[in-house]
Amino acid sequence: MTAATGIGARVLRTEDKRFLTGTGRYVDDLPLARATYAYFLRSPHAHAKIKKLDISAAAKMSGVVNIFTGKDLVDAKVGGLICGWVVKDKHGEPHKAPPHPVMAVDTVRYVGDTVAMVVANSYDEAKDAAEAIKVDYDVQPANIDLAKSFDKGAPQVHPEAPGNLIYDWEIGVKADVEAAFAKAAHVTKLDLINNRLIPNAMEPRAAAAEYDKGTGNYTLWSTSQNPHVLRLILSAFVLGIPEHKLRVVAPDVGGGFGSKIFCYADETMVCWAASRVGRPIKWTAERSESFQTDCHGRDHVTHAELALDKDGKFLALKVETIANMGAYLSTFSTAVPTYLYATLLAGQYTTPLIYANVKAALTHTAPVDAYRGAGRPEATFVVESIVSKAAAEMKIDPAELRRKNFIPSTAFPYQTPVALQYDSGNYPPIIDEAMKMADYKGFEARRAEAKSRGKLRGIGFSSYIEACGLAPSQVVGSLGAGVGQWESAQIKFNPTGNVQVMTGAHSHGQSHETTFAQIIHDKLGVPMDQIEIVHGDTATTPFGMGSYGSRSLAVGGSAIVKATEKIIAKGKKVAAHLMEAAVADVEFENGTFKVTGTDKNVPLAQVVFAAYVPHNYPLAEVEPGMDENAFYDPANFVYPAGTQICELEIDPDTGTTEIVNFTAIDDFGNIINPMIVEGQVHGGIVQGVGQALMEGAVYDKSTGQLISGSYMDYTMPRADNFPSFKLGYKVTPCPHNPLGVKGCGEAGAIASPAAVMNAVHNALAPVGVKHVEMPATPLNVWQSIKGAQRQAAE
Amino acid sequence: MSISVAMTVNGKAVSGKVEARTLLVQFLREHLGMTGTHVGCDTSQCGACVVDVDGKSVKSCTILAVQAEGSKVITIEGLAESPDKLHPMQEAFRENHALQCGFCTPGMVMSAIDMVKRHNYQLDEATVRRELEGNLCRCTGYHNIVKAILAAAPAMKSAGV
Amino acid sequence: MYDFTYHRPKSVADAVKLLKDKPEARAMSGGMTLIPTLKQRLARPSDVVDLGAVKELSGIKIEGANVVIGGMTKHADVATSADVKAAIPALAHLAGHIGDPQVRNRGTIGGSVANNDPAADYPGAVVALNATVTTNSRKIPADEFFKGLFETALADGELITSISFPKAEKAAYMKFPNPASRYAMVGVFVAKTASGVRVAVTGAGGCVFRVKAMEDALAKNFSSAAIKDINIPADGLNSDIHGSAEYRAHLVGVMARRAVDAANK
Ligand SMILES: Cc1cc2nc3c(=O)[nH]c(=O)nc-3n(C[C@H](O)[C@H](O)[C@H](O)COP(=O)(O)OP(=O)(O)OC[C@H]3O[C@@H](n4cnc5c(N)ncnc54)[C@H](O)[C@@H]3O)c2cc1C
Ligand code: FES
Ligand code: FES
């Protein structure tokens, strides 16, 4: 191992060369001979009965190969799409599980619901034919307004879920929390909306499939974050193709952020239809289709109350949330606003009592599921907003109030009142460092200077914690998860000494080909250019759970470490034989086996060669070959934590907000590659700021049309919306995984909305504004100022 | 309507039969198999498709293949001198970790090179950020892209490209 | 996109003939509006007449007290033209803030003005500077050119060949971009020319309009203080998820004052 490329080094990425020279291979890039092209006809209505669906004219159009409708799937006994996490409600009953047909049969339930699939010789011909499909819709009233979903008379989405209620779930003991509130010196109340987001990975979702008549094997290429999970769902629940007859490949994938975890109708159809069409099928979403059909994120309506004693110590927190599920339950939808949300409501604090009640609602909108952070940004937003509000109300410095309530570093492992046991952390030095870097002391002077220019300057904190590295299988299993959440690795040396490492994780921007190789290099001493990380293909990689929930390194990386240990253990036996020493006397360092206390040594490459050409080899005791598998199931979640400070200026004349300073100090445990970690944080911050200031999925409240259905109306963060960020680290290694790492993929997005909104509120307080919802667009901010002025005038 | 088109792509003469409605990006990707240029939207806003046509940076999803008849087109595939010698902008993107999933990258790099040249190799952070208006990235938060472009400007100047 | 027949005439006369002969034909300049429209299948022309090879349509000339810009002149060329920068810097500034660099490299003044998108920038300059739109058959004064939402005085098959902008004594354009599309949510062009003071507003309504009260006040006293109490009624202004009519009305005032201040600099 050299310091320049091992664990902790800033190693440039292996994957970059192909991406920078235009030689990456994304699904849409695949050259498939004799390919056909699919176009999906989507519902233009939020809620309608399909009275008649006539494909006869379309079927006769030029280039059309085949047209499939929901009825064809019923006839072929294709199963519905599934929700993989059973959440039990407060009475112990499993959540309501309305059917989710792959394509609509008699009812459409959101704008974008899939109605028919046209397969043609070209994409344009498929689209031409889709326009000729005649659908007679009987339009029904739609339930769009989340807050009104449970009202009497609200349009019903599924008969299986009366009152649009999927579950009424709770955690904590309500009576204890109420008792603490009764004794509180101060109660801070907060109503907020966590705005609905559209993920917008820059590569639109895509799928391609091919069926081999001779072997009966299917190959599905999909823009998936977890090809094995997709295969499992398609095989076991939806299509019934045996797992060994279905190969799922997720090649280069252009970002996911959660939206490419799930099993979708379109990729299912492409796979299913491939054998019926008898030619390969390709499909790539148009961006407007992505807007309508990718699973959306967030979308909560929440009321929260925090009880404090007279010194500002938190006594109890209670939270009521309505979470939007959309029209159907997507793959992990039920877990997001419960186990990934309410369990994080302790934040970094010693709040002794917490009660949360979450009601999941159906609406006639696109399904809602995990999006970068999944539940944890929503929790952090509640906690960090109410803490800052309490500080303002009690006239305590927001940093001071946080410090007062931090879990002390001596208290770890720390059991929160909401199920999680935090393994490690040290929060005060993080906020100190952030305040120093952000020059918190100098803020009031900067505020005054801004005022002289007519600007309102504000500063906001967000001290987040997240539980990631999903997940200890038995814990999540006891909570209703349908799968285990371990990860796998296979280290396969070739006879010439280079090595291929197969991982069940998947990289769609996270840089596994580099960081995983750094681990191998560090542990085994193999030069970086002799290491290949293989991922994304069920045919070549061991079963694994894919990448989401900042799990790749903490769980997948740990599996790799375990596999390196097996390689070393086996190698020692071979080396002992080659050096004519006792196994116990052999040690391994920097890629070389040595006999302790002597200068006898044999490099790993030579041991590998001997294992494949076992002429001089302990065949009686050791199998030939150098190929080891490992599975790693984490003992606990990992708990990254940090503090962000956002400083911004608002132009009160226009309502425009400009971020002028953004600081983030994180504890991600040990860091494998700081360059890559920083990149993850940058991207996360921008997505979080996007949520706070720009992004919002807007459906027309009466028709259910998606108004923010393209980049013309959905505000994407752009380069000129940001300054450069200031980042820093504090390290408390994770005590329970072999690398000591925590996850870094979601932190930026989890913390930043609260940092920004606290700064917005801080800036607007002097003009009397009490509350601004996200996104704090210029319009929204201007209206808030105007409202405060009106109120002051009355 | 089928039309013959001929143009130079990355220094090589190419031709093909297209429909009038075939976009330049489709011609590159589907006819020539040059899939380095990407499509990320249908409203001409994301910039994943940016290429250079006759010295001008354009969105190849918003120009017909027939409009590029006789033109000199440069795509992401045409930048590196050899697999081991990247263009200074590509090198700067790698050095500064200005890409994650890589999907926006071809368009980013093409826009960035054009930006540096138009500003005569002299850029500041605010200008770079403003000039990136037509390029969306969902992964990097732009921070490292901006850094890479600022680093590439002098490197391009000294390399004479 | 539906398919169509493609033409690439070399002269205005040939282009006009094609457009006249084929009633369902559409002219294309930069294609920055037309192609996205076609991609979304919102239009189905039988023929597309590409003006890209019509050399006579491009270029910027100074003719006496006027800057004359050919219909096919790209936004980028207007933004960087030394002549425009010297004569009417506000016009160069406006062109430099349309869309992004790639859009500016292809989008044209003729296409933009002919399209008359309510959120387009150029109409503000055309009206405020009291420009004259020249077509293959006539000259149309600015006040008679823009008729309403996406509607102009152009007859079917009539092409904008150039636009003539009188030089301004003082002028400035302030744009408040729509946060998502970055088109003008409100854009105010203020100009003091030989023919007086004009204030033209784009983005806020269904079509570019003038604010008479501001023009009168500024004619007396060309300072932002002179218009600080002039409110624009919200009635009839655009309203969408990015800006209510009331907000747009307010922004017209803010942008107008800022434009006057900029013009005085
Ligand atoms: C991403 C993006 C961002 C944009 N942002 C802005 C912005 O901020 N502000 C803004 O103002 N615009 C913006 N635009 C629009 C852009 O300025 C267009 O270039 C312009 O509106 C149309 O010009 P064009 O030359 O591309 O016209 P085309 O698309 O070729 O044509 C538009 C219409 O005009 C007709 N036409 C074209 N030329 C003529 C002519 N000479 N005579 C008569 N009719 C003609 C065509 O038949 C067509 O109906 C943006 C466009 C894009 C894609
Ligand atoms: S593909 Fe998005 S701008 Fe061209
Ligand atoms: S690197 Fe993924 S979109 Fe830019």
Side-chain angles (χ1 to χ4, degrees), chain B residues 38-50 59-62 134, chain C residues 39:
Chain B
H38 295 160
V39 175
C41 74
D42 46 14
T43 50
S44 308
Q45 284 165 299
C46 76
C49 62
V50 170
K59 289 179 170 169
S60 63
C61 73
T62 319
Chain C
K39 282 204 289 187

PDB file of all heavy atoms in Angstrom, chain B residues 38-50 59-62 134, chain C residues 39, ligand 2:
ATOM      1  N   HIS B  38     -25.411  13.129 -24.968  1.00  0.00           N
ATOM      2  CA  HIS B  38     -26.580  12.586 -24.269  1.00  0.00           C
ATOM      3  C   HIS B  38     -27.831  13.438 -24.464  1.00  0.00           C
ATOM      4  O   HIS B  38     -27.740  14.593 -24.882  1.00  0.00           O
ATOM      5  CB  HIS B  38     -26.282  12.482 -22.780  1.00  0.00           C
ATOM      6  CG  HIS B  38     -25.204  11.494 -22.454  1.00  0.00           C
ATOM      7  ND1 HIS B  38     -24.498  11.508 -21.275  1.00  0.00           N
ATOM      8  CD2 HIS B  38     -24.716  10.442 -23.159  1.00  0.00           C
ATOM      9  CE1 HIS B  38     -23.624  10.516 -21.275  1.00  0.00           C
ATOM     10  NE2 HIS B  38     -23.727   9.869 -22.409  1.00  0.00           N
ATOM     11  N   VAL B  39     -28.957  12.856 -24.113  1.00  0.00           N
ATOM     12  CA  VAL B  39     -30.229  13.579 -24.121  1.00  0.00           C
ATOM     13  C   VAL B  39     -30.819  13.522 -22.725  1.00  0.00           C
ATOM     14  O   VAL B  39     -31.075  12.441 -22.206  1.00  0.00           O
ATOM     15  CB  VAL B  39     -31.224  12.963 -25.129  1.00  0.00           C
ATOM     16  CG1 VAL B  39     -32.579  13.667 -25.034  1.00  0.00           C
ATOM     17  CG2 VAL B  39     -30.671  13.064 -26.538  1.00  0.00           C
ATOM     18  N   GLY B  40     -30.994  14.676 -22.118  1.00  0.00           N
ATOM     19  CA  GLY B  40     -31.499  14.687 -20.747  1.00  0.00           C
ATOM     20  C   GLY B  40     -32.842  15.379 -20.593  1.00  0.00           C
ATOM     21  O   GLY B  40     -33.392  15.404 -19.501  1.00  0.00           O
ATOM     22  N   CYS B  41     -33.350  15.978 -21.685  1.00  0.00           N
ATOM     23  CA  CYS B  41     -34.642  16.661 -21.536  1.00  0.00           C
ATOM     24  C   CYS B  41     -35.311  16.757 -22.890  1.00  0.00           C
ATOM     25  O   CYS B  41     -34.744  16.397 -23.915  1.00  0.00           O
ATOM     26  CB  CYS B  41     -34.447  18.063 -20.943  1.00  0.00           C
ATOM     27  SG  CYS B  41     -33.759  19.263 -22.087  1.00  0.00           S
ATOM     28  N   ASP B  42     -36.543  17.253 -22.880  1.00  0.00           N
ATOM     29  CA  ASP B  42     -37.254  17.445 -24.141  1.00  0.00           C
ATOM     30  C   ASP B  42     -37.667  18.897 -24.326  1.00  0.00           C
ATOM     31  O   ASP B  42     -38.523  19.204 -25.124  1.00  0.00           O
ATOM     32  CB  ASP B  42     -38.465  16.502 -24.218  1.00  0.00           C
ATOM     33  CG  ASP B  42     -39.279  16.490 -22.927  1.00  0.00           C
ATOM     34  OD1 ASP B  42     -39.071  17.392 -22.085  1.00  0.00           O
ATOM     35  OD2 ASP B  42     -40.112  15.587 -22.754  1.00  0.00           O
ATOM     36  N   THR B  43     -37.051  19.795 -23.549  1.00  0.00           N
ATOM     37  CA  THR B  43     -37.394  21.209 -23.676  1.00  0.00           C
ATOM     38  C   THR B  43     -36.159  22.084 -23.920  1.00  0.00           C
ATOM     39  O   THR B  43     -36.193  23.289 -23.671  1.00  0.00           O
ATOM     40  CB  THR B  43     -38.112  21.700 -22.398  1.00  0.00           C
ATOM     41  OG1 THR B  43     -37.333  21.290 -21.257  1.00  0.00           O
ATOM     42  CG2 THR B  43     -39.503  21.122 -22.289  1.00  0.00           C
ATOM     43  N   SER B  44     -35.071  21.465 -24.364  1.00  0.00           N
ATOM     44  CA  SER B  44     -33.875  22.217 -24.764  1.00  0.00           C
ATOM     45  C   SER B  44     -33.222  22.972 -23.619  1.00  0.00           C
ATOM     46  O   SER B  44     -32.641  24.024 -23.819  1.00  0.00           O
ATOM     47  CB  SER B  44     -34.206  23.199 -25.898  1.00  0.00           C
ATOM     48  OG  SER B  44     -34.844  22.520 -26.929  1.00  0.00           O
ATOM     49  N   GLN B  45     -33.317  22.438 -22.415  1.00  0.00           N
ATOM     50  CA  GLN B  45     -32.811  23.192 -21.272  1.00  0.00           C
ATOM     51  C   GLN B  45     -31.641  22.575 -20.523  1.00  0.00           C
ATOM     52  O   GLN B  45     -30.967  23.270 -19.784  1.00  0.00           O
ATOM     53  CB  GLN B  45     -33.966  23.420 -20.280  1.00  0.00           C
ATOM     54  CG  GLN B  45     -34.910  24.505 -20.746  1.00  0.00           C
ATOM     55  CD  GLN B  45     -36.206  24.481 -19.977  1.00  0.00           C
ATOM     56  OE1 GLN B  45     -36.939  23.507 -20.000  1.00  0.00           O
ATOM     57  NE2 GLN B  45     -36.473  25.553 -19.270  1.00  0.00           N
ATOM     58  N   CYS B  46     -31.390  21.260 -20.666  1.00  0.00           N
ATOM     59  CA  CYS B  46     -30.451  20.616 -19.742  1.00  0.00           C
ATOM     60  C   CYS B  46     -28.996  20.655 -20.208  1.00  0.00           C
ATOM     61  O   CYS B  46     -28.089  20.555 -19.405  1.00  0.00           O
ATOM     62  CB  CYS B  46     -30.863  19.171 -19.492  1.00  0.00           C
ATOM     63  SG  CYS B  46     -30.470  18.071 -20.869  1.00  0.00           S
ATOM     64  N   GLY B  47     -28.778  20.758 -21.507  1.00  0.00           N
ATOM     65  CA  GLY B  47     -27.411  20.890 -22.003  1.00  0.00           C
ATOM     66  C   GLY B  47     -26.603  19.604 -22.071  1.00  0.00           C
ATOM     67  O   GLY B  47     -25.409  19.645 -22.389  1.00  0.00           O
ATOM     68  N   ALA B  48     -27.207  18.452 -21.811  1.00  0.00           N
ATOM     69  CA  ALA B  48     -26.466  17.191 -21.882  1.00  0.00           C
ATOM     70  C   ALA B  48     -26.020  16.893 -23.316  1.00  0.00           C
ATOM     71  O   ALA B  48     -25.137  16.079 -23.538  1.00  0.00           O
ATOM     72  CB  ALA B  48     -27.322  16.033 -21.359  1.00  0.00           C
ATOM     73  N   CYS B  49     -26.635  17.605 -24.264  1.00  0.00           N
ATOM     74  CA  CYS B  49     -26.450  17.304 -25.685  1.00  0.00           C
ATOM     75  C   CYS B  49     -25.526  18.281 -26.384  1.00  0.00           C
ATOM     76  O   CYS B  49     -25.454  18.280 -27.609  1.00  0.00           O
ATOM     77  CB  CYS B  49     -27.814  17.360 -26.351  1.00  0.00           C
ATOM     78  SG  CYS B  49     -28.503  19.024 -26.194  1.00  0.00           S
ATOM     79  N   VAL B  50     -24.859  19.151 -25.633  1.00  0.00           N
ATOM     80  CA  VAL B  50     -24.116  20.238 -26.287  1.00  0.00           C
ATOM     81  C   VAL B  50     -22.952  19.699 -27.115  1.00  0.00           C
ATOM     82  O   VAL B  50     -22.178  18.851 -26.662  1.00  0.00           O
ATOM     83  CB  VAL B  50     -23.608  21.272 -25.252  1.00  0.00           C
ATOM     84  CG1 VAL B  50     -22.635  22.263 -25.878  1.00  0.00           C
ATOM     85  CG2 VAL B  50     -24.787  22.007 -24.614  1.00  0.00           C
ATOM     86  N   LYS B  59     -26.998  23.177 -28.847  1.00  0.00           N
ATOM     87  CA  LYS B  59     -27.684  22.024 -28.274  1.00  0.00           C
ATOM     88  C   LYS B  59     -28.103  21.119 -29.431  1.00  0.00           C
ATOM     89  O   LYS B  59     -28.969  21.486 -30.238  1.00  0.00           O
ATOM     90  CB  LYS B  59     -28.893  22.497 -27.472  1.00  0.00           C
ATOM     91  CG  LYS B  59     -28.444  23.205 -26.193  1.00  0.00           C
ATOM     92  CD  LYS B  59     -29.576  23.724 -25.357  1.00  0.00           C
ATOM     93  CE  LYS B  59     -29.021  24.172 -24.001  1.00  0.00           C
ATOM     94  NZ  LYS B  59     -30.007  24.926 -23.204  1.00  0.00           N
ATOM     95  N   SER B  60     -27.496  19.955 -29.499  1.00  0.00           N
ATOM     96  CA  SER B  60     -27.730  19.095 -30.658  1.00  0.00           C
ATOM     97  C   SER B  60     -29.128  18.492 -30.654  1.00  0.00           C
ATOM     98  O   SER B  60     -29.534  17.863 -31.623  1.00  0.00           O
ATOM     99  CB  SER B  60     -26.664  17.995 -30.736  1.00  0.00           C
ATOM    100  OG  SER B  60     -26.746  17.149 -29.600  1.00  0.00           O
ATOM    101  N   CYS B  61     -29.873  18.701 -29.576  1.00  0.00           N
ATOM    102  CA  CYS B  61     -31.268  18.246 -29.547  1.00  0.00           C
ATOM    103  C   CYS B  61     -32.187  19.301 -30.128  1.00  0.00           C
ATOM    104  O   CYS B  61     -33.385  19.098 -30.212  1.00  0.00           O
ATOM    105  CB  CYS B  61     -31.704  17.950 -28.117  1.00  0.00           C
ATOM    106  SG  CYS B  61     -31.955  19.448 -27.140  1.00  0.00           S
ATOM    107  N   THR B  62     -31.632  20.452 -30.500  1.00  0.00           N
ATOM    108  CA  THR B  62     -32.481  21.530 -30.992  1.00  0.00           C
ATOM    109  C   THR B  62     -31.961  22.052 -32.329  1.00  0.00           C
ATOM    110  O   THR B  62     -32.011  23.237 -32.633  1.00  0.00           O
ATOM    111  CB  THR B  62     -32.600  22.662 -29.934  1.00  0.00           C
ATOM    112  OG1 THR B  62     -32.729  22.056 -28.649  1.00  0.00           O
ATOM    113  CG2 THR B  62     -33.819  23.521 -30.163  1.00  0.00           C
ATOM    114  N   GLY B 134     -27.151  27.036 -19.221  1.00  0.00           N
ATOM    115  CA  GLY B 134     -27.799  26.022 -20.058  1.00  0.00           C
ATOM    116  C   GLY B 134     -27.390  24.593 -19.753  1.00  0.00           C
ATOM    117  O   GLY B 134     -27.689  23.694 -20.538  1.00  0.00           O
TER     118      GLY B 134
ATOM    119  N   LYS C  39     -40.951  19.092 -31.289  1.00  0.00           N
ATOM    120  CA  LYS C  39     -40.611  17.893 -30.504  1.00  0.00           C
ATOM    121  C   LYS C  39     -41.766  17.496 -29.597  1.00  0.00           C
ATOM    122  O   LYS C  39     -42.016  16.322 -29.372  1.00  0.00           O
ATOM    123  CB  LYS C  39     -39.354  18.165 -29.655  1.00  0.00           C
ATOM    124  CG  LYS C  39     -38.073  18.087 -30.456  1.00  0.00           C
ATOM    125  CD  LYS C  39     -36.858  17.783 -29.574  1.00  0.00           C
ATOM    126  CE  LYS C  39     -36.464  18.915 -28.699  1.00  0.00           C
ATOM    127  NZ  LYS C  39     -35.190  18.666 -27.988  1.00  0.00           N
TER     128      LYS C  39
HETATM  129  S1  FES D   2     -31.153  17.252 -24.339  1.00  0.00           S
HETATM  130 FE1  FES D   2     -31.598  18.724 -22.832  1.00  0.00          FE
HETATM  131  S2  FES D   2     -30.899  20.501 -23.854  1.00  0.00           S
HETATM  132 FE2  FES D   2     -30.581  19.039 -25.325  1.00  0.00          FE
END
